[in-house]
Every structure is written in structure tokens, then in C-alpha cells.
Amino acid sequence: MRSISTLPLIYFVRHGQTDWNVENRLQGQAETDINPTGRAQATENGKTLKGLISDPADFDFVASPSRRTRETMERIRTAMGLEPQAYRTDPRLLELHFGDWQGFTYDELELREPGSKARRSVDKWNFRPPGAAAESYEMLKKRVSSWLSDVTRPTVCVTHGGIFRAVFRLAADLPQKKAAVLAVPQDRILRLEKGELEWV
């Protein structure tokens, strides 16, 4: 991957809250929708970006293909006074795939597979849940590195919590254990500029 310090300015936004977020369900790449709180978060983040970006025409707008990220992007663009659907998607920005665990809470998993949470917590960054499509955070990081290498202009990116964790590993060299449990707010924006990360 090219040097993080040479990347153009990127604003990262996590999708708005979903009911599964509230229930602490493992969403992964399952399709869920943002709830009323999430819609309000998306609109407020759009208003913030409108104040940060003087010329949106200079920016690429890209989202994960998930429904929750696309609706978040469309609400952001609406709040910025832009055509809601004039953005692109990139599958490399999809959330970590939780394989057979998607859709479950840890309490539910414990009933099915006792010790599941404990097994993952031993090395959360490198743990891969059961299921052919499942990923570890380390696998996800490779996807994110590939996407970052292709960024050529200032960008607004709407994505998922796992992507933020990978960005912190790549750009700030945050240790694996800390990155794996990093809290990612849905009402804040993360700026990557000249290799430095800052919440705005």
C-alpha cells in the first residue's frame, strides 16, 4: 500500500444507528436499515460536512453497498444540498463478514455454542467466526488497504465500524487488541489528512 501520508483528504462516516446496533446483534454483511435515530445522525453528519467542505464538486462520494450505508449517504448528501443518489459504491467497504454468527447476539450464540464470546476475545483481531464467508479483522484490513491505495481525490466515505478499526491499524498503527475493541460513534466524522486521524 502507498504511504498513508500521501493520501488525499478523506472523511469517514459510519452508517446511522440500526435496531440491531441497539440490540448488540452481529450485523456484518446482513442487510439492515437505519432507524429514526440513525436517520437523524446521518442528517446531522451531512450538515457538519456541508460546513467542512467548501466545494463538494472536488470530492468523490463513495459508500459501502449495504442498505444502511447507502441510506446514510443519501441523507448526508441531501443535508449538503446535493443530489442524493449521485455517489458510487465499493464492495471493499463492506463490513466484516461474521459468517454463521450474523444476526445473533452473543447471548444467543452462547446458547447455541457455549464459549463463543470467550474464544473470540482471546485474539479478537485475528479470530475468524465459523462459516465459509467469515472474515477476521486482519482479512478486512487487506480489503481496506486495497481501497485506500485507489483513493486519488478528496473523498467522503460512508462505511462500517470494522472499516474504521482497520483504518486505525493502517494509519495510526493502533495495536490489534485496541483496534479490535475501538468504539466507533455514529454521530461523529473521522478525518484522515496528511496521515493524521482526527474526530470532528
Side-chain angles (χ1 to χ4, degrees), residues 163-176:
I163 304 296
F164 280 72
R165 295 179 185 109
V167 167
F168 270 89
R169 281 283 298 135
L170 290 161
D173 199 25
L174 192 68
Q176 290 183 357

Side-chain angles (χ1 to χ4, degrees), residues 1-9 148-149 151-152 193-195:
M1 192 189 110
R2 71 200 237 214
S3 171
I4 292 287
S5 62
T6 67
L7 289 171
L9 168 65
L148 285 170
S149 292
V151 176
T152 59
E193 187 174 19
K194 297 178 181 176

Side-chain angles (χ1 to χ4, degrees), residues 19-36:
D19 288 344
W20 280 21
N21 287 144
V22 177
E23 297 165 6
N24 290 315
R25 291 191 180 277
L26 298 169
Q27 288 183 109
Q29 293 183 17
E31 287 289 16
T32 57
D33 295 300
I34 58 177
N35 61 24

Side-chain angles (χ1 to χ4, degrees), residues 44 61 87 106 124 132 134 167 180 199:
E44 286 304 309
F61 286 77
Y87 66 94
Y106 276 118
K124 192 173 181 181
V167 167
W199 292 102

Side-chain angles (χ1 to χ4, degrees), residues 50-64:
K50 184 176 182 179
L52 291 169
I53 297 173
S54 58
D55 190 355
D58 290 341
F59 278 72
D60 186 19
F61 286 77
V62 59
S64 155

Side-chain angles (χ1 to χ4, degrees), residues 3 28-29 32 50 79 92 103 108 114 120 143 154 159 179 186-187:
S3 171
Q29 293 183 17
T32 57
K50 184 176 182 179
R92 291 174 293 182
E108 291 167 347
R120 187 174 186 230
R143 272 206 274 125
T159 188
Q186 289 162 305
D187 58 354

